[in-house]
Amino acid sequence: MTSGRYLRLISNDINNPTILSVDKGQEPWGMDKQDNPLPPEALDAPQNRNWRIYTKNTQADLSRVGYKIGLWVAVKSKSYNYAYNFQGFSSNITFNNIGFFDSTMGQMHGGAKNITLNHVKFGRGDRVNGVVPAFASSAGGPQFMGYTDSSPYTNILLDYVWLEYTGDDNFSAQHASQGSSFKLDHVTSKGAFARLLLATYDAYGVCLTDNVILDNQPAVVHGAISQDIEHFEFKKQFSVCQY
């Protein structure tokens, strides 16, 4: 399986590794230029502490976007294990005062209604060998999807929610129909491996208040919705919430 396999450059800070500005995006690994699988190779089996990872782009290609020997790299090897998974017309669900660490992706798909996340944090877990993990998981943050026009997500609220280094998209809204209602208020999203906020081209009803912070920038007050800031995709699908 080659999907969900990417690299990003990070700082060599054992207390707070962050994405390096020299990195221009996710670099695919585990495949060649023709998308044939190139699985990683253990160089010291059976200890398996040292690995060779094959990248889709050549070494010369990577050097042009800032990769070089000695820099730290975060490796995404996406799996599909969920912190929670609600499917099909789930309703009246509240998460209150909860922290999700190490496993941060959860799904609410297919007509979720009356869903509230209040004072919830998705973030990095405990140190590994004395080092703060670069990302919380390899999967991402909360996901919401309405499959068809007959099953949109409606009346969803994220209020006082912290999304940090979830390992893929910090938040995603997908495939909703017209008339959906989805409000983000007092939401902070930072350090995404892929996108800080993702709303696909066929997601509707997602709005942001001026209390939404994207990588330390107020999203609405400073016009981030209409600007091409890093890791913010399908901006036209977001609107400003009406109080």
Side-chain angles (χ1 to χ4, degrees):
M1 175 178 167
T2 57
S3 62
R5 308 288 190 256
Y6 293 97
L7 307 176
R8 289 196 71 101
L9 289 176
I10 59 170
S11 64
N12 60 344
D13 182 347
I14 66 171
N15 297 309
N16 185 31
T18 56
I19 297 170
L20 290 182
S21 59
V22 294
D23 187 9
K24 303 303 180 184
Q26 302 184 79
E27 289 293 338
W29 67 270
M31 68 192 81
D32 63 18
K33 288 185 177 296
Q34 287 72 44
D35 291 334
N36 298 308
L38 285 173
E41 174 186 355
L43 303 180
D44 60 345
Q47 291 83 9
N48 295 340
R49 297 282 296 175
N50 295 286
W51 293 81
R52 177 181 288 119
I53 293 177
Y54 296 93
T55 60
K56 183 173 183 178
N57 297 323
T58 66
Q59 185 174 353
D61 292 334
L62 293 178
S63 67
R64 286 198 291 268
V65 292
Y67 286 79
K68 62 182 180 180
I69 293 174
L71 295 180
W72 285 24
V73 178
V75 181
K76 179 164 74 174
S77 182
K78 191 170 182 179
S79 61
Y80 292 91
N81 294 317
Y82 305 114
Y84 57 86
N85 188 0
F86 295 93
Q87 301 285 341
F89 301 100
S90 302
S91 63
N92 303 315
I93 298 171
T94 298
F95 292 168
N96 189 43
N97 292 310
I98 296 177
F100 291 94
F101 305 96
D102 298 321
S103 181
T104 53
M105 184 167 76
Q107 288 189 334
M108 290 191 183
H109 285 185
K113 296 181 179 180
N114 304 322
I115 309 298
T116 298
L117 276 64
N118 181 259
H119 288 90
V120 177
K121 181 173 183 177
F122 300 83
R124 301 185 286 197
D126 294 334
R127 293 174 183 260
V128 179
N129 294 328
V131 180
V132 172
F135 294 94
S137 73
S138 62
Q143 298 183 348
F144 298 85
M145 179 186 295
Y147 290 123
T148 67
D149 282 344
S150 63
S151 60
Y153 45 64
T154 56
N155 192 27
I156 295 178
L157 172 65
L158 272 63
D159 195 18
Y160 292 97
V161 173
W162 182 274
L163 306 159
E164 178 186 52
Y165 296 98
T166 65
D168 194 38
D169 303 318
N170 278 356
F171 160 90
S172 68
Q174 307 170 45
H175 312 306
S177 58
Q178 299 281 359
S180 303
S181 56
F182 199 136
K183 182 177 180 180
L184 277 66
D185 191 15
H186 301 98
V187 172
T188 297
S189 180
K190 61 180 292 187
F193 199 111
R195 279 71 58 116
L196 293 167
L197 297 177
L198 168 66
T200 59
Y201 67 92
D202 53 0
Y204 299 95
V206 184
C207 68
L208 282 62
T209 73
D210 55 7
N211 296 312
V212 175
I213 305 297
L214 306 181
D215 265 354
N216 300 316
Q217 297 184 54
V220 174
V221 173
H222 289 279
I225 285 179
S226 61
Q227 296 177 13
D228 188 20
I229 66 171
E230 188 181 16
H231 312 320
F232 190 40
E233 193 151 323
F234 296 100
K235 294 173 286 296
K236 292 182 180 179
Q237 296 307 116
F238 293 100
S239 64
V240 179
C241 291
Q242 302 299 313
Y243 288 96

